[in-house]
């Protein structure tokens, strides 16, 4: 009797479960699964939206990989961006999160002030601001002039343009910082208390308690940071338009222009798949590497 | 001695944080001043102009004359209302399904959900565009609004699932004894309890879609439908950029996000902090 009622109940929740997740499920099929299937197909075609897609086999891929120098350039620019911007952002956000993880007066004000640049995030407004500040006549050069330094056109010089975008990205470390802060709040205080009894100093506590306990959050931020940086678009589009001499021609911008400026839909789809493979490979590597440095409590204290 | 050391550390903290805050906010202060400057004065290091040009705001606002920023702000706000509504309602519904109900393949779908968080948007953007294009929906708000009605995004669903798991099951059991169905439990018990997290969802949705320049560039082409962001880009693309007016309008364009943030500041940081992002 009880077993029967239980079973009937499961059947009910089975239906109810799918009723509840149906908005997401429909969206998944309509806006993710179908487009992904479509994208695989399109990446093997020549398609300009005007005529039907024309099957070209692996031509898009071989052209991208072996003939397209712009692809190579944009890939190296994007890697350089990821390589500098992700660690910088992680470092700053962790340091600031440690500073902000205190119960002191006015802490909310400090948090708000430091979060503020990230609040206005990737908006075009910020790109406009940055473009003006780092222009040849921009504010930055005027400040440098006080110290007798002759400024340059930071965004028009191929050696500094990418650095300027990295700086903008680092300025907006707020979201990463908030996630670190959430992680810090979850570290049990008694760990610090008992280690203090054992005579551990601040530095020792940081390396033996804080960092290991924070490693899952660090991992989360690292993976999302890499994925996010690979997709950086607005500031490259508005501030530098990919220039000068393609020095900031980010992969996302390259893909966007192939698709929606030149209407090379098939080519752009192939670019998207190459991007996916790169991101998947990097994420996979991260997961493999994480075994050696990410510490989960359930492992029973096997931090390495 | 211990106390004096502690106050010293406290003061040092305040100093470091104050300097850091000022450093972070400096470009914003400069921005406010620059929005009142002439182009010639723009490059001067002084933050505040000698004579503030208030007309930067009125001239910038009227823009081309044909469409003013009243129009562009109206467009953007209307779109935002739909986005927030869609995200808040559907993310709660989906999260309840994942967080409370046991159904076949639940684990499988949940890992797919997490996987989609890592899928770069570029992979789907081209075929999605083609899809909307085939239905004649390019140059409408549908492609920008519709996705918010499908659960509001994996990140929000995940956030709410974590929160729902923290709500005591006894509440559900009690309601069940009183004769409530799962739908009733959701509507009368769980949904109201989700309020603080839903505020977080609403704020994030508002700010992110306000800033979603990529989508707007892609799907809106007639000036009459332009959002604030697209109107700003028209400014940038002019032959001779009116920097004062442009900076004035771009400053105004962040006001809604800032207001939303301050109204819900407490929920914002705490909302993320309490949902638990433990690996």
């Amino acid at each position: 009797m009880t077993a029967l009622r239980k079973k009937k109940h499961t059947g009910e929740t089975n239906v109810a479960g799918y009723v509840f997740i149906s908005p997401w499920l429909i969206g998944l099929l309509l806006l993710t699964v179908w487009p992904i299937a479509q994208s695989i197909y399109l990446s093997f075609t020549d398609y300009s939206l005007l005529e039907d897609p024309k099957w070209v086999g692996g031509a898009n891929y071989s052209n991208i990989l072996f003939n397209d120098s712009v692809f190579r350039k944009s890939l190296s620019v994007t890697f350089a961006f990821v390589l500098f911007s992700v660690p910088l952002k992680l470092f700053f956000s962790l340091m600031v999160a440690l500073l902000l993880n205190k119960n002191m007066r006015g802490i909310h004000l400090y948090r708000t002030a430091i979060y503020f640049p990230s609040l206005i995030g990737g908006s075009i407004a910020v790109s406009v601001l940055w473009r003006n500040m780092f222009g040849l006549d921009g504010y930055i050069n005027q400040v440098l002039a006080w110290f007798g330094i002759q400024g340059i056109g930071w965004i028009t010089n191929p050696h500094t343009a990418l650095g300027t975008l990295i700086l903008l990205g680092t300025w907006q470390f707020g979201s990463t910082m908030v996630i670190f802060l959430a992680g810090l709040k979850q570290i049990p205080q008694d760990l610090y208390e008992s280690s203090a009894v054992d005579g551990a100093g601040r530095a020792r506590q940081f390396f033996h308690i804080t960092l290991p306990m924070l490693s899952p959050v660090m991992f989360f931020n690292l993976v999302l940071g890499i994925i996010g940086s690979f997709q950086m678009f607005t500031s490259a589009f508005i501030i530098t338009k990919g220039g000068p001499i393609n020095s900031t021609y980010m992969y996302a911008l390259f893909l966007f222009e192939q698709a929606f400026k030149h209407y090379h839909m098939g080519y752009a789809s192939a670019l998207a798949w190459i991007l996916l493979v790169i991101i998947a490979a990097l994420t996979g590597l991260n997961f493999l590497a994480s075994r050696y440095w990410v510490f989960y409590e359930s492992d029973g204290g096997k931090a390495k | 001695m211990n106390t004096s050391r502690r106050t010293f550390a406290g003061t040092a903290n305040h100093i470091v944080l104050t300097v850091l805050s000022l450093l972070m906010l400096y470009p914003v202060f400069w921005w406010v001043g620059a929005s009142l400057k002439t182009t010639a004065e723009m490059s001067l290091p002084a933050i505040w102009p000698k004579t503030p040009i208030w007309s930067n705001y009125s001239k910038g606002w009227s823009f081309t004359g044909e469409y003013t920023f009243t129009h562009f702000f109206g467009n953007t706000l209307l779109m935002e209302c739909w986005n927030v509504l869609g995200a808040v309602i559907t993310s709660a519904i989906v999260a309840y399904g994942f967080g409370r109900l046991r159904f076949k393949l639940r684990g499988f779908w949940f890992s797919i959900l997490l996987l989609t968080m890592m899928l770069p948007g570029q992979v789907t953007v081209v075929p999605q565009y083609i899809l909307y294009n085939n239905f004649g929906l390019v140059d409408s708000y549908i492609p920008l609004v519709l996705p918010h009605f499908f659960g509001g995004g994996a990140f929000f669903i995940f956030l709410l699932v974590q929160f729902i798991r923290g709500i005591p099951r006894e509440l559900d059991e009690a309601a069940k004894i009183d004769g409530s169905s799962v739908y009733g439990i959701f509507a009368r018990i769980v949904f109201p309890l989700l309020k603080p997290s839903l505020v977080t969802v609403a704020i994030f949705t508002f700010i992110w879609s306000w800033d979603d320049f990529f989508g707007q560039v892609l799907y809106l082409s007639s000036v009459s439908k332009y959002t604030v962001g697209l109107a700003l880009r028209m400014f940038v693309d002019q032959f001779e950029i009116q920097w004062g007016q442009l900076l004035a309008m771009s400053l105004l364009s962040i006001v809604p996000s800032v207001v939303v943030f301050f109204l819900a500041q407490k929920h914002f940081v705490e909302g993320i902090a309490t949902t638990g992002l433990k690996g």
Side-chain angles (χ1 to χ4, degrees):
Chain A
M1 173 73 192
T2 29
L4 220 139
R5 251 175 56 194
K6 215 174 187 177
K7 198 160 188 195
K8 190 180 153 222
H9 211 89
T10 336
E12 243 171 64
T13 42
N14 239 336
V15 175
Y18 278 93
V19 169
F20 273 100
I21 69 162
S22 62
W24 169 76
L25 208 53
I26 294 167
L28 178 79
L29 296 175
L30 204 68
L31 294 181
T32 309
V33 175
W34 167 247
I36 283 181
Q38 185 77 352
S39 172
I40 296 179
Y41 162 68
L42 284 173
S43 73
F44 293 104
T45 66
D46 197 358
Y47 183 41
S48 65
L49 273 188
L50 299 171
E51 294 160 40
D52 284 339
K54 211 168 30 196
W55 186 264
V56 294
N60 287 330
Y61 289 96
S62 62
N63 277 334
I64 291 168
L65 295 173
F66 304 115
N67 303 328
D68 193 336
S69 61
V70 182
F71 162 76
R72 256 165 268 161
K73 178 71 187 175
S74 79
L75 199 60
S76 70
V77 167
T78 310
F79 266 111
F81 181 79
V82 172
L83 206 65
F84 285 100
S85 120
V86 172
L88 264 177
K89 220 175 182 167
L90 283 180
F91 179 76
F92 274 114
S93 30
L94 178 57
M95 290 302 124
V96 175
L98 286 170
L99 276 173
L100 287 177
N101 187 32
K102 300 217 162 71
N103 279 324
M104 52 196 272
R105 269 187 22 198
I107 197 78
H108 280 285
L109 271 176
Y110 292 127
R111 270 187 210 165
T112 309
I114 288 166
Y115 188 78
F116 195 87
S118 310
L119 170 67
I120 47 187
S123 69
I124 176 175
V126 173
S127 302
V128 165
L129 170 72
W130 219 248
R131 183 168 151 174
N132 188 293
M133 278 181 57
F134 284 88
L136 186 58
D137 297 326
Y139 169 77
I140 298 296
N141 282 346
Q142 289 302 320
V143 173
L144 288 178
W146 291 350
F147 302 98
I149 300 168
Q150 172 72 48
I152 55 168
W154 298 96
I155 51 172
T156 47
N157 183 319
H159 298 294
T160 53
L162 189 63
T164 316
L165 297 189
I166 291 171
L167 193 66
L168 172 59
T170 310
W171 183 50
Q172 300 174 327
F173 62 73
S175 308
T176 320
M177 188 269 293
V178 170
I179 295 174
F180 271 131
L181 204 54
L184 283 172
K185 283 183 184 300
Q186 283 172 349
I187 301 177
Q189 281 306 308
D190 48 334
L191 285 180
Y192 292 104
E193 281 152 23
S194 58
S195 78
V197 172
D198 293 346
R202 280 288 169 87
R204 226 183 125 78
Q205 286 185 335
F206 176 75
F207 286 106
H208 286 88
I209 300 173
T210 311
L211 268 190
M213 293 299 281
L214 215 52
S215 58
V217 178
M218 176 79 86
F219 179 62
F220 179 83
N221 272 338
L222 177 72
V223 170
L224 285 191
I226 290 175
I227 295 173
S229 299
F230 263 100
Q231 301 181 66
M232 196 276 254
F233 174 76
T234 308
S235 44
F237 184 65
I238 294 296
I239 301 177
T240 57
K241 295 188 158 77
I245 5 178
N246 287 351
S247 61
T248 60
Y249 205 51
M250 302 290 292
Y251 199 90
L253 184 58
F254 178 43
L255 196 152
F256 172 84
E257 293 204 332
Q258 282 299 323
F260 303 106
K261 195 170 159 191
H262 309 300
Y263 292 101
H264 296 156
M265 295 294 182
Y267 201 75
S269 299
L271 283 176
W273 277 96
I274 293 171
L275 177 68
L276 181 68
V277 169
I278 293 171
I279 291 182
L282 281 177
T283 310
L285 271 179
N286 260 322
F287 268 96
L288 284 180
S290 75
R291 284 190 202 160
Y292 299 96
W293 66 273
V294 176
F295 163 85
Y296 293 104
E297 271 169 287
S298 49
D299 289 355
K302 261 193 307 177
K304 257 197 181 171
Chain B
M1 189 195 135
N2 205 351
T3 12
S4 74
R5 234 175 80 185
R6 214 178 274 165
T7 27
F8 172 74
T11 320
N13 259 331
H14 274 292
I15 293 170
V16 171
L17 284 173
T18 307
V19 170
L20 193 69
S21 302
L22 289 177
L23 211 66
M24 293 295 287
L25 289 180
Y26 198 82
V28 182
F29 296 145
W30 181 82
W31 194 356
V32 176
S35 73
L36 295 167
K37 287 177 176 176
T38 61
T39 305
E41 222 179 345
M42 199 67 72
S43 54
L44 297 181
I47 283 197
W48 200 250
K50 277 200 197 85
T51 41
I53 317 283
W54 294 102
S55 66
N56 278 346
Y57 281 84
S58 53
K59 279 189 189 147
W61 189 273
S62 46
F63 193 40
T64 58
E66 194 189 351
Y67 295 106
T68 65
F69 268 84
T70 316
H71 187 86
F72 301 130
F73 270 99
N75 284 347
T76 323
L77 284 171
L78 186 69
M79 182 184 80
E80 288 287 350
C81 288
W82 287 108
N83 288 352
V84 169
L85 190 75
V88 164
I89 292 175
T90 60
S91 66
I93 292 174
V94 175
Y96 180 74
F98 276 123
R100 263 301 197 261
L101 304 174
R102 299 276 164 267
F103 51 90
K104 264 186 199 150
L105 295 179
R106 179 180 149 277
F108 169 75
W109 291 119
F110 196 63
S111 29
I112 297 279
L113 176 88
L114 297 182
L115 217 62
T116 57
M117 273 208 273
M118 299 195 184
L119 188 76
Q122 274 82 0
V123 175
T124 48
V125 71
V126 171
Q128 268 180 15
Y129 182 88
I130 295 168
L131 186 76
Y132 287 121
N133 190 45
N134 288 342
F135 282 101
L137 293 171
V138 168
D139 200 23
S140 81
Y141 294 105
I142 304 278
L144 298 173
V145 170
L146 193 65
H148 297 279
F149 279 84
F150 293 129
F155 179 69
F156 296 142
I157 298 174
F158 178 65
L159 213 70
L160 293 178
V161 166
Q162 297 291 88
F163 191 88
I164 287 175
R165 283 180 179 159
I167 300 175
R169 269 180 183 277
E170 286 77 26
L171 288 174
D172 295 34
E173 299 299 329
K176 214 178 277 171
I177 290 164
D178 290 350
S180 264
S181 66
V182 270
Y183 307 99
I185 295 171
F186 169 72
R188 263 172 266 136
I189 295 172
V190 176
F191 191 74
L193 283 174
L194 278 178
K195 222 182 273 166
S197 295
L198 289 176
V199 172
T200 314
V201 171
I203 303 165
F204 268 123
T205 303
F206 186 93
I207 293 172
W208 285 348
S209 52
W210 191 275
D211 286 350
D212 169 34
F213 186 63
F214 189 89
Q216 295 165 12
V217 169
L218 211 56
Y219 287 112
L220 300 175
S221 48
S222 36
V223 180
S224 65
K225 289 175 187 143
Y226 267 18
T227 56
V228 177
L230 292 173
L232 288 176
R233 190 179 65 132
M234 285 214 299
F235 249 118
V236 182
D237 287 346
Q238 278 169 344
F239 178 65
E240 199 177 338
I241 300 176
Q242 299 290 328
W243 278 110
Q245 296 176 21
L246 174 55
L247 287 171
M249 286 306 109
S250 50
L251 193 61
L252 289 187
S253 81
I254 66 162
V255 169
S257 303
V258 175
V259 169
V260 165
F261 176 76
F262 276 100
L263 285 180
Q265 208 253 108
K266 199 169 164 286
H267 295 289
F268 197 60
V269 178
E270 305 297 319
I272 307 167
T274 51
T275 34
L277 279 154
K278 238 182 209 170

